[in-house]
């Protein structure tokens, strides 16, 4: 039996079946039929629907005698209010399956819809403590096929659903293995129309997923759970996730700049889609840590920032939020495993680094890449000042899921220094 005095000796690893390649979306009808589904709700947003992709799927499924409808009112950054509305809309019919076509916001919304149309209660019943109750789903969910249209979130591979709770000015998440999509269809051609800065932000999210998972605390350097059924979904770095993260780092380093500079570079788009799927497969098991924990209050408390390439609304895109503190974070985590941080810098840049380069190696590679793709230069770009640091630190300390796999003990003093350095 495990006790808090013993180290973990087991890691878990899982991923949904993946169909990858140009044109793979055209086979969706056969995958839905394989689930035995006769009705399907497509979940998307208005911007993705404007590309024509969801309606093309709708007509194809209807031609195959699958009763299908579209919900296209997903919020750009899903809030508790936008998700509650989507759930109420979906409850009008008992759907056999769901298809999410869009970015992480769409896929996360679809996960929440699937959960709350098969289970009683509300979002906070299932959100990770201390923000929510952390109730684990106990009933079967419907099949969910995720079709990402950005090379970014990796949500098609993960157990996580992120929600912006408006009244709390904070993002939080539901995390459970039953939320993982039943299947992921990754068709790189769906990403060609993404604006340059959306491509850049999405790509930085891919990179942060891979880096955070690769540098997270090792699975066997964590306390063993008292109850193996309550082993967390984020188990820490492990030999299988490491392989996927290393592939993602190489692919991002070679292709993100090209995809940002020329969105019609199909090979770069395809390689970034593969990087996103790889990073999602890695972090969906190992977990993300401090840049993501920091990103939730950064995105949740913003007051008047408008991101280039995104709809006119106050928001910090997730990829910009996670990357904004990443250089400072990885300088700070470097002593926890110098060799792994140097290896990550090598994979990303194609250069060779030694202990002489130290904590600046990875931070420099990140900063150089962010400069080349025009990422915002620090938290001041979003309107934050020294006066906001305490609020941001408080928000980060509530992110227990990520904090559990940070490779160094996190203190308020350390977080304050990271946020100050990131201004």
């Amino acid at each position: 039996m495990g006790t808090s005095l013993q180290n973990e000796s087991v890691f878990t690893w899982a991923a949904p079946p993946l169909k990858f390649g140009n044109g793979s979306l055209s086979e969706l009808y056969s995958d839905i039929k394989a689930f035995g589904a006769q009705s399907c709700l497509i979940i998307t947003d208005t911007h993705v629907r404007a590309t024509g992709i969801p309606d093309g799927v709708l007509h194809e499924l209807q031609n195959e005698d699958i009763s299908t409808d579209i919900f296209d009112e997903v919020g750009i950054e899903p809030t508790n209010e936008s998700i509650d509305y989507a759930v109420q809309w979906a409850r009008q019919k008992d759907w056999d399956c769901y298809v999410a076509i869009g970015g992480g916001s769409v896929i996360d919304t679809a996960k929440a819809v699937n959960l709350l149309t098969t289970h009683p209660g509300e979002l906070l019943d299932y959100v990770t403590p201390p923000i929510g109750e952390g109730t684990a789903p106990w009933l079967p969910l419907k099949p969910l096929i995720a079709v990402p249209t950005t090379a970014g979130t990796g949500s098609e591979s993960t157990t996580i659903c992120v929600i912006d709770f408006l009244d709390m000015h904070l993002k939080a998440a539901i995390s459970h293995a039953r939320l993982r999509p039943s299947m992921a269809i990754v068709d790189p051609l769906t990403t060609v129309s993404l604006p340059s800065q959306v491509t850049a932000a999405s790509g930085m999210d891919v990179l942060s997923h891979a880096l955070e998972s690769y540098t997270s605390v090792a699975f066997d350097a964590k306390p063993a759970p008292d109850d193996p059924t309550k082993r967390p979904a984020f188990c820490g770095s492990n030999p299988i996730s490491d392989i996927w993260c290393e592939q993602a780092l190489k692919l991002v380093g070679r292709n993100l700049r090209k995809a940002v500079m020329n969105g019609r570079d199909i090979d770069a788009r395809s390689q970034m889609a593969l990087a996103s799927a790889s990073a999602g497969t890695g972090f969906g098991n190992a977990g993300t840590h401090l840049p993501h924990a920091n990103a939730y209050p950064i995105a949740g408390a913003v007051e008047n920032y408008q991101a280039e390439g995104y709809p006119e609304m106050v928001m910090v895109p997730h990829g910009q939020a996670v990357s904004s503190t990443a250089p400072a974070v990885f300088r700070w985590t470097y002593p926890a495993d110098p060799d792994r941080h140097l290896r990550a810098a090598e994979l990303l840049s194609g250069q060779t680094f030694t202990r002489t380069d130290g904590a600046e190696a990875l931070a420099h590679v990140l900063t150089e890449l962010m400069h080349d793709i025009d990422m915002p230069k620090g938290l001041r770009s979003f309107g934050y000042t020294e006066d906001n640091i305490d609020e941001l630190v408080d928000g980060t300390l509530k992110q227990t899921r990520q904090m559990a796999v940070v490779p160094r003990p996190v203190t308020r003093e350390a977080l304050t220094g990271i946020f100050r350095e990131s201004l």
Side-chain angles (χ1 to χ4, degrees):
M1 299 293 291
T3 74
S4 60
L5 299 179
Q6 293 179 320
N7 273 17
E8 177 66 278
S9 60
V10 174
F11 71 86
T12 57
W13 190 91
L18 170 67
K19 181 175 286 188
F20 183 97
N22 295 337
S24 55
L25 183 56
S26 65
E27 301 180 5
L28 175 63
Y29 73 92
S30 64
D31 301 309
I32 289 178
K33 286 190 170 182
F35 285 115
Q38 297 181 335
S39 66
C40 172
L41 177 62
I42 297 171
I43 296 176
T44 190
D45 63 45
T46 56
H47 301 279
V48 174
R49 190 168 190 181
T51 67
I53 295 170
D55 284 284
V57 171
L58 171 72
H59 296 143
E60 184 172 10
L61 296 183
Q62 289 176 336
N63 288 339
E64 295 292 330
D65 295 324
I66 298 170
S67 176
T68 310
D69 203 349
I70 293 181
F71 174 81
D72 66 359
E73 298 181 61
V74 170
I76 298 302
E77 289 286 311
T79 67
N80 54 308
E81 293 179 358
S82 72
I83 289 177
D84 286 342
Y85 178 70
V87 170
Q88 294 304 318
W89 199 98
R91 282 176 174 164
Q92 297 177 67
K93 182 173 179 178
D94 184 18
W95 302 99
D96 290 342
C97 74
Y98 296 101
V99 173
I101 304 177
S105 298
V106 167
I107 299 173
D108 283 5
T109 296
K111 291 175 182 177
V113 167
N114 198 3
L115 174 65
L116 292 178
T117 55
T118 55
H119 288 71
E122 58 186 28
L123 286 170
L124 281 173
D125 294 333
Y126 302 95
V127 167
T128 304
I131 298 168
E133 296 298 319
T135 302
W138 66 95
L139 298 170
L141 276 69
K142 300 293 180 68
L144 167 60
I145 299 177
V147 184
T149 58
T150 65
T153 69
S155 184
E156 70 275 8
S157 299
T158 73
T159 63
I160 304 156
C161 163
V162 179
I163 307 121
D164 186 355
F165 286 91
L166 295 175
D167 55 342
M168 301 180 191
H169 302 288
L170 187 68
K171 283 192 173 186
I174 302 171
S175 178
H176 192 274
R178 294 197 180 191
L179 267 64
R180 196 187 306 274
S182 310
M183 183 175 190
I185 298 179
V186 180
D187 187 337
L189 296 180
T190 65
T191 70
V192 171
S193 63
L194 284 179
S196 173
Q197 279 305 294
V198 178
T199 301
S202 300
M204 288 306 300
D205 195 20
V206 174
L207 174 54
S208 205
H209 289 153
L211 280 176
E212 292 174 56
S213 300
Y214 195 60
T215 58
S216 62
V217 65
F219 79 94
D220 56 358
K222 295 173 58 184
D226 291 323
D227 180 354
T229 66
K230 295 181 179 179
R231 180 173 281 117
F234 281 2
C235 65
S237 61
N238 61 81
I240 298 179
S241 288
D242 286 352
I243 294 170
W244 293 99
C245 293
E246 288 186 355
Q247 172 164 281
L249 291 171
K250 289 180 184 177
L251 291 171
V252 170
R254 294 171 183 171
N255 296 282
L256 179 54
R257 290 176 176 86
K258 289 191 273 186
V260 170
M261 302 304 164
N262 178 10
R264 300 202 68 82
D265 185 330
I266 302 300
D267 181 65
R269 288 289 195 189
S270 181
Q271 295 303 307
M272 282 304 301
L274 184 59
S276 180
S278 299
T281 302
F283 96 85
N285 297 276
T288 53
H289 60 80
L290 210 44
H292 269 71
N294 293 340
Y296 291 153
I298 289 169
V302 70
E303 294 183 352
N304 54 21
Y305 177 69
Q306 169 65 50
E308 179 186 343
Y310 287 83
E312 292 188 11
M313 60 182 291
V314 175
M315 62 172 284
V316 179
H318 186 57
Q320 292 187 9
V322 297
S323 62
S324 63
T325 65
V329 167
F330 291 112
R331 283 191 189 97
W332 179 76
T333 58
Y334 173 82
D337 194 336
D339 290 340
R340 185 159 285 230
H341 284 67
L342 294 173
R343 175 62 176 156
E346 291 176 350
L347 290 166
L348 183 58
S349 68
Q351 304 172 49
T352 300
F353 297 98
T354 68
R355 290 290 185 102
T356 303
D357 299 296
E360 288 303 315
L362 182 53
H364 173 74
V365 169
L366 282 173
T367 302
E368 186 177 58
L369 173 58
M370 291 165 63
H371 174 270
D372 289 349
I373 61 175
D374 292 327
M375 280 288 98
K377 296 175 176 61
L379 297 177
R380 293 190 191 278
S381 301
F382 309 139
Y384 291 115
T385 69
E386 286 269 355
D387 294 339
N388 302 111
I389 288 179
D390 284 344
E391 178 185 11
L392 295 174
V393 170
D394 289 341
T396 296
L397 288 170
K398 294 177 182 178
Q399 308 303 324
T400 56
R401 181 168 49 90
Q402 281 89 6
M403 302 294 272
V405 291
V406 178
R408 285 184 66 176
V410 181
T411 64
R412 174 172 286 275
E413 181 182 13
L415 287 174
T416 299
I418 287 168
F419 279 116
R420 183 170 288 124
E421 184 181 334
S422 302
L423 284 173

